[in-house]
């Protein structure tokens, strides 16, 4: 039950839907069609951010939602108040008995590359139920996939070596948006999140140290309750860290050619307090007052005092100014200080940066010669400012075993009819050739055999001879249960990085990429043509 499953508490509820789903449900029920077998597909029409790829995400949330789908008494009572007062009470009895035991879902595994028109989910079951699932499933998949794709773009810009931290919870669109962003930015390639709830519920690695408020709360007159610190290893005597820091401050200031009174005493007191609490994880936030004249010497004094006891500081953080330039200057000073005091570990102290970092600034921080090791990104990952919505849709493709197709004045909004299978065709070198959609009844493509297909948007067919063929859609949910255990979030993250590595540089390019091709089988193309012609008569 959801109340026994903490992750279930984070999934959508049945009434997280649009009212017209319920009015359609009443229409189906009144027409005697509630149990008609039907199939819907969830897909998108264009890759986001002007790119050529999308990462499929949100499946684990969909499964949690489907497994716990049930309208409670309060849900049904509210729907009764929202629908006409003369609605047959038997309809509400029908709603209260609903679950997803008759629903089947095939899906792209999380972390898969996804392309326009290829289903992320295929949802089949009783017409009334699978209609009610539309809005929640769209809500769960669209934003998750958008976030994962945005995170993947940022990872591609940063390269594999930089550590990326998601820290956008305070900028997110509400608590649910924050949790989703933290979860799926990790799947897309970030290393950790500041979001503690994402760590508890989803297993996302969490990270965080201190803010400017902690530093500015100290004036320098505070006396630590217990300033004594034991060595990192062994049984040596405890040392007064405050006294040790003051001794080191004089040596550091002399090395940096500063007056010993210049570094802010409150900042130093804050660093000491944090070091006493976290001697094995001390990090200095350097820009509360002045990086060069206060933050740096105070950090070095505390770090070197800790070093005498066998501890190593884990890093510094910059949150303002020219981050790239400051990081380069800091690295130089770390090297000279390490040489001066014969502490080689100081040379490689990680430098973390944050402060409204977007794709352009990230590219600058990731360039060769940058001394930045860790990059914290908030607003630009969780709000997806370049494109706030993926635009997924959920369309009916068959009822009662008969194909259904939507024809509109806008050709882009036409749907592909019938229950389908999807395959990815690969070359002999493992390169991706194209994705092909075909009717489920057709035999799958065979490696080494020539196949005639119709690229979407093209006026003519072409032939392709794949060296390998990958089925894309996996049966994941049937009769109310998972068909196989879902991968862990970390496993899906690794799969996403593997998927991205298979893209050609032309398709992986973030600006003006080559578009990846999706094609239809000859039989599916013929069905589209036949239904289009029949409808236009």
């Amino acid at each position: 039950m959801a109340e026994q499953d903490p992750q279930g508490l984070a999934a959508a509820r049945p009434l997280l839907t649009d009212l017209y789903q319920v009015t359609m449900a009443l229409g189906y029920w009144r027409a005697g069609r509630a149990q008609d077998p039907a199939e819907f597909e969830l897909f998108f029409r264009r890759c986001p951010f002007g790119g050529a790829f999308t990462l499929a995400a949100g499946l684990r949330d969909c499964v949690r939602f489907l497994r716990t789908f049930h309208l409670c008494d309060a849900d049904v009572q509210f729907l009764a108040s929202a629908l006409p007062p003369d609605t047959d009470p038997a309809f509400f009895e029908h709603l209260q008995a609903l679950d997803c035991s008759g629903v089947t879902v095939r899906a792209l595994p999380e972390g898969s590359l996804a392309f326009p028109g290829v289903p992320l989910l295929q949802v089949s079951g009783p017409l009334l139920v699978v209609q009610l699932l539309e809005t929640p499933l769209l809500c769960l998949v669209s934003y998750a996939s958008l976030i994962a794709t945005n995170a993947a773009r940022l990872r591609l810009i940063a390269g594999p070596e930089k550590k990326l931290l998601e820290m956008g919870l305070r900028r997110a669109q509400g608590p649910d948006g924050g949790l989703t962003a933290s979860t799926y930015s990790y799947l897309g390639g970030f290393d950790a999140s500041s979001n503690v709830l994402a760590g508890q519920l989803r297993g996302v690695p969490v990270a965080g140290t201190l803010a400017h408020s902690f530093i500015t709360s100290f004036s320098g007159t505070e006396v630590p309750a217990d300033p004594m610190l034991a060595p990192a290893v062994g049984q040596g005597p405890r040392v007064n860290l405050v006294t040790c820091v003051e001794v080191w401050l004089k040596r550091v200031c002399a090395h940096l050619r500063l007056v010993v009174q210049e570094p802010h005493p409150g900042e130093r007191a804050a660093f000491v307090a944090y070091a006493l609490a976290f001697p094995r994880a001390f990090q200095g936030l350097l820009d509360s007052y002045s990086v060069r004249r206060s933050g740096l010497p105070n950090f070095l004094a505390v770090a070197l005092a800790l070093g005498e006891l066998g501890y190593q500081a884990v890093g510094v953080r910059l949150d303002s100014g020219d981050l790239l330039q400051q990081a380069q200057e800091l690295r130089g000073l770390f090297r000279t200080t390490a040489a001066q005091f014969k502490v080689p570990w100081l040379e490689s102290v990680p430098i973390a940066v944050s402060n409204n970092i977007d794709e352009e600034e990230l590219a600058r921080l990731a360039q060769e010669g940058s001394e930045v090791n860790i990059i914290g990104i908030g607003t630009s990952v969780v709000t997806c400012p370049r494109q706030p919505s993926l635009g997924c849709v959920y369309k009916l493709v068959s009822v009662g075993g008969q194909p259904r197709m939507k024809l509109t004045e806008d050709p882009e909004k036409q749907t592909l009819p019938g229950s389908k299978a999807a395959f990815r065709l690969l070359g002999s070198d493992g390169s991706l050739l194209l994705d092909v959609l075909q009717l489920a009844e057709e035999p799958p493509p065979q490696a080494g055999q020539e196949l005639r297909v119709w690229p979407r948007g093209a006026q003519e067919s072409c032939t392709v001879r794949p060296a390998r063929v990958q089925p894309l859609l996996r049966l994941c949910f049937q009769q109310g249960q998972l068909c196989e255990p879902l991968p862990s979030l970390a496993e899906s993250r690794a799969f996403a990085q593997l998927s991205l590595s298979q893209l050609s540089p032309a398709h992986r390019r973030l600006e003006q990429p080559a578009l990846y091709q999706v094609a239809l089988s000859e039989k599916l193309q013929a069905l589209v043509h036949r239904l289009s012609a029949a409808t236009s008569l």
Side-chain angles (χ1 to χ4, degrees):
M1 297 295 290
E3 55 268 23
Q4 297 173 326
D5 173 14
Q7 292 195 353
L9 297 176
R13 296 169 59 177
L15 292 198
L16 186 69
T17 192
D18 296 302
L19 182 61
Y20 82 166
Q21 308 292 3
V22 182
T23 60
M24 285 190 285
L26 176 56
Y28 290 142
W29 180 83
R30 185 68 177 80
R33 304 192 60 208
Q35 298 298 326
D36 286 5
E39 182 171 334
F40 286 80
E41 290 179 349
L42 191 154
F43 60 94
F44 58 90
R45 297 187 176 104
R46 295 184 184 179
C47 291
F49 314 117
F53 69 87
T54 302
L55 283 183
L59 178 60
R60 65 194 63 239
D61 289 329
C62 293
V63 168
R64 278 195 290 271
F65 167 67
L66 294 171
R67 291 180 70 179
T68 59
F69 180 88
H70 174 71
L71 279 78
C72 66
D73 291 345
D75 295 335
V76 175
Q77 289 170 8
F78 177 79
L79 292 178
S81 72
L83 292 176
D86 58 353
T87 301
D88 190 333
F91 172 65
F92 300 111
E93 294 174 8
H94 181 83
L95 290 181
Q96 197 150 18
L98 291 179
D99 59 25
C100 287
S101 58
V103 173
T104 297
V105 176
R106 290 176 173 80
L108 283 177
E110 280 195 314
S112 296
L113 291 170
F115 300 102
V118 178
L120 301 175
L121 301 179
Q122 290 176 328
V123 184
S124 58
L127 178 57
L128 186 150
V129 174
V130 292
Q131 181 73 70
L132 285 175
L133 299 178
E134 175 179 3
T135 301
L137 293 180
L138 284 169
C139 186
L140 292 170
V141 170
S142 296
Y143 183 56
S145 298
L146 186 74
I147 285 287
T149 306
N150 193 30
R153 288 173 61 89
L154 295 168
R155 169 53 70 193
L156 288 172
I157 295 169
E161 301 302 323
K162 306 294 185 190
K163 189 172 184 180
L164 293 180
L165 303 181
E166 178 274 315
M167 45 199 301
L169 179 58
R170 65 190 61 193
R171 304 284 186 255
Q173 286 93 339
D176 290 340
L179 180 60
T180 300
S182 299
T183 302
Y184 292 105
S185 61
Y186 176 65
L187 184 147
F190 274 54
D191 295 285
S193 170
S194 66
N195 187 339
V196 177
L197 188 62
Q200 180 193 31
L201 295 184
R202 304 301 177 83
V204 176
V206 293
T209 51
L210 68 165
H212 295 102
S213 56
F214 182 85
I215 293 171
T216 58
S217 73
F218 287 82
S219 66
T221 60
E222 299 82 5
V223 178
D226 181 6
M228 309 302 288
L229 186 64
V233 294
Q235 301 296 319
R238 300 172 77 221
V239 172
N240 187 313
L241 186 63
V242 175
T243 302
C244 192
V245 166
E246 293 302 321
V247 171
W248 270 108
L249 181 67
K250 295 175 183 178
R251 299 178 67 185
V252 166
C253 285
H255 170 64
L256 297 177
R257 299 181 180 180
L258 295 171
V259 177
V260 74
Q261 288 80 20
E262 284 188 81
H264 197 289
E267 180 180 56
R268 188 163 58 257
F271 284 176
V272 168
Y274 197 81
L276 287 168
F278 298 97
R280 299 182 190 277
F282 171 61
Q283 184 185 69
L285 177 57
L286 302 189
D287 62 340
S288 296
Y289 301 106
S290 167
V291 173
R292 181 68 174 79
R293 293 182 292 104
S294 183
L296 176 62
N298 279 330
F299 166 77
L300 289 172
V302 176
L304 291 167
L306 287 172
E308 280 192 327
L309 294 171
Y311 300 99
Q312 288 189 14
V314 300
V316 296
R317 181 161 71 94
L318 300 166
D319 191 50
S320 60
D322 188 326
L323 301 174
L324 177 66
Q325 180 180 339
Q326 290 183 94
Q328 291 169 334
E329 292 172 355
L330 279 177
R331 183 65 68 204
L333 290 166
F334 285 159
R335 288 172 179 147
T336 60
T337 306
Q340 172 71 22
F341 299 116
K342 296 180 174 56
V343 282
W345 57 266
L346 187 60
E347 292 186 10
S348 56
V349 166
I351 299 175
V353 298
S354 55
N355 187 24
N356 290 323
I357 294 170
D358 56 16
E359 288 190 358
E360 290 72 23
E361 178 65 7
L362 179 59
R364 184 168 174 265
L365 295 171
Q367 66 184 278
E368 187 175 353
S370 167
E371 295 292 349
V372 172
N373 307 105
I374 304 166
I375 302 170
I377 307 178
T379 305
S380 290
V381 65
V382 304
T383 66
C384 301
R386 291 190 56 164
Q387 183 176 328
S389 174
L390 178 55
C392 286
V393 293
Y394 183 91
K395 297 300 180 183
L396 180 70
V397 296
S398 73
V399 177
Q402 297 302 307
R404 292 291 187 269
M405 180 179 180
K406 175 185 175 183
L407 289 169
T408 70
E409 300 299 325
D410 184 352
E412 188 183 42
K413 288 196 169 187
Q414 293 181 1
T415 59
L416 297 175
S419 182
K420 291 180 281 295
F423 298 90
R424 184 154 293 157
L425 309 187
L426 295 89
S428 57
D429 59 354
S431 61
L432 308 187
L433 301 178
L434 56 82
D435 286 5
V436 61
L437 296 172
Q438 63 178 50
L439 295 174
E441 64 205 44
E442 297 183 68
Q446 297 298 311
Q449 293 186 7
E450 189 173 90
L451 180 69
R452 181 167 293 278
V453 297
W454 288 79
R456 299 203 69 184
Q459 299 301 313
E460 296 182 355
S461 63
C462 66
T463 58
V464 61
R465 189 187 299 272
R468 288 173 49 206
V469 177
Q470 289 181 350
L472 292 179
L473 299 167
R474 299 185 64 166
L475 181 66
C476 68
F477 186 84
Q478 194 170 37
Q479 295 181 341
Q481 298 297 324
L482 273 173
C483 297
E484 58 184 12
L486 289 176
S488 69
L489 188 62
E491 290 170 334
S492 294
R493 178 181 184 272
F495 179 60
Q497 295 307 304
L498 176 63
S499 299
L500 289 166
S501 72
Q502 296 174 331
L503 273 177
S504 71
H507 293 129
R508 198 184 304 131
R509 194 167 58 231
L510 301 184
E511 300 295 335
Q512 298 182 327
L515 297 182
Y516 184 80
Q517 204 166 71
V518 176
L520 311 185
S521 70
E522 286 195 291
K523 194 167 184 178
L524 178 54
Q525 175 69 16
L527 177 61
V528 170
H529 181 75
R530 178 168 59 82
L531 292 181
S532 299
T535 305
S536 63
L537 293 178

